[in-house]
Amino acid sequence: AQSVTQLDSHVSVSEGTPVLLRCNYSSSYSPSLFWYVQHPNKGLQLLLKYTSAATLVKGINGFEAEFKKSETSFHLTKPSAHMSDAAEYFCVVSIIQGAQKLVFGQGTRLTINP
Amino acid sequence: DTGVSQDPRHKITKRGQNVTFRCDPISEHNRLYWYRQTLGQGPEFLTYFQNEAQLEKSRLLSDRFSAERPKGSFSTLEIQRTEQGDSAMYLCASSLSRGLAGKETQYFGPGTRLLVL
């Protein structure tokens, strides 16, 4: 079965320092992987997606993620955190059975310290 | 492209009452999904529509839940005889499927937060 594990429930960094949000996946075939961000009282917004093209995926707002098959990981990074990055981040794997059902991780809450 | 909209944004109801939520997808998106998100958890798949046909329902969707997409555009999710355990955020997403497995992107609405007292 397809699943994702987000290794940290809460990450706290200082503004201007790098961000690393960790995600491991389990999939019986080549997966499609996504990172979504959820700001309070707002909908989920797609940051980036991997669909078997380039292993280094660039997303919006300076985020990127690298697909590492050998490590079954899809960690999200950003070189320099901004206060507006504070939010809940979800790593997601898709199950393709007819339609594309998304399986979400538990989420990582990112806090940015001034 | 005005995005996915959901109405209402918040709903407070008493146990045993019926509630109905509406989702308006991005126009011309042929797939529509419903998810449920409880506090501190990631969203969980409930059901999806391909145009007006409801093609799959999760085991999470009890008999008290029903969803429709009558003309392949907007969708409604109704919960009958609500229970306190139904309290959650109900999220709608839409996508455009061109038949390429795994290539579609789901766009989410802001959600409807339900509180059952």
Side-chain angles (χ1 to χ4, degrees):
Chain A
Q2 281 65 244
S3 66
V4 290
T5 301
Q6 293 184 243
L7 301 175
D8 307 290
S9 59
H10 184 209
V11 170
S12 181
V13 302
S14 297
E15 189 175 20
T17 63
V19 174
L20 170 64
L21 305 183
R22 298 183 295 165
C23 172
N24 287 349
Y25 71 90
S26 173
S27 178
S28 54
Y29 51 82
S30 183
S32 289
L33 293 161
F34 309 79
W35 276 97
Y36 279 84
V37 61
Q38 188 174 39
H39 291 273
N41 300 317
K42 292 190 177 180
L44 288 156
Q45 181 183 22
L46 179 68
L47 278 178
L48 49 82
K49 66 178 180 180
Y50 166 78
T51 55
S52 74
T55 56
L56 182 62
V57 182
K58 293 189 183 298
I60 62 172
N61 300 334
F63 285 94
E64 63 181 37
E66 186 171 8
F67 174 73
K68 291 187 176 180
K69 186 175 180 179
S70 61
E71 299 176 9
T72 61
S73 69
F74 190 58
H75 301 334
L76 181 70
T77 61
K78 183 174 181 177
S80 177
H82 191 272
M83 294 299 291
S84 61
D85 295 328
E88 189 86 15
Y89 290 79
F90 292 96
C91 182
V92 184
V93 66
S94 67
I95 298 175
I96 302 169
Q97 294 174 338
Q100 184 189 62
K101 291 182 291 185
L102 301 182
V103 176
F104 286 75
Q106 299 271 47
T108 297
R109 183 161 59 93
L110 176 63
T111 300
I112 311 297
N113 302 312
Chain B
D1 183 351
T2 57
V4 179
S5 62
Q6 293 186 246
D7 183 70
R9 295 289 306 275
H10 303 273
K11 179 71 177 179
I12 300 174
T13 190
K14 293 182 179 179
R15 188 176 53 187
Q17 297 295 305
N18 298 344
V19 295
T20 300
F21 311 140
R22 176 180 171 122
C23 170
D24 286 90
I26 294 171
S27 59
E28 299 182 357
H29 275 192
N30 53 358
R31 283 186 175 163
L32 188 148
Y33 300 78
W34 285 99
Y35 292 82
R36 181 170 68 186
Q37 184 179 20
T38 53
L39 206 59
Q41 303 294 317
E44 296 174 289
F45 168 82
L46 291 179
T47 187
Y48 91 93
F49 292 82
Q50 172 90 22
N51 299 313
E52 68 275 9
Q54 186 175 16
L55 297 185
E56 187 169 347
K57 294 192 290 186
S58 161
R59 287 172 295 177
L60 294 174
L61 217 61
S62 75
D63 292 344
R64 297 183 296 104
F65 288 71
S66 62
E68 294 183 342
R69 194 183 183 198
K71 297 183 179 179
S73 56
F74 74 91
S75 175
T76 58
L77 177 67
E78 181 183 16
I79 309 175
Q80 296 181 327
R81 304 180 304 282
T82 53
E83 302 172 356
Q84 289 184 325
D86 297 331
S87 295
M89 175 79 85
Y90 290 85
L91 296 164
C92 175
S94 70
S95 68
L96 178 62
S97 170
R98 295 189 173 97
L100 298 175
K103 302 302 183 185
E104 64 187 84
T105 296
Q106 294 184 28
Y107 296 89
F108 283 81
T112 295
R113 187 174 295 281
L114 173 67
L115 177 61
V116 182
L117 301 176

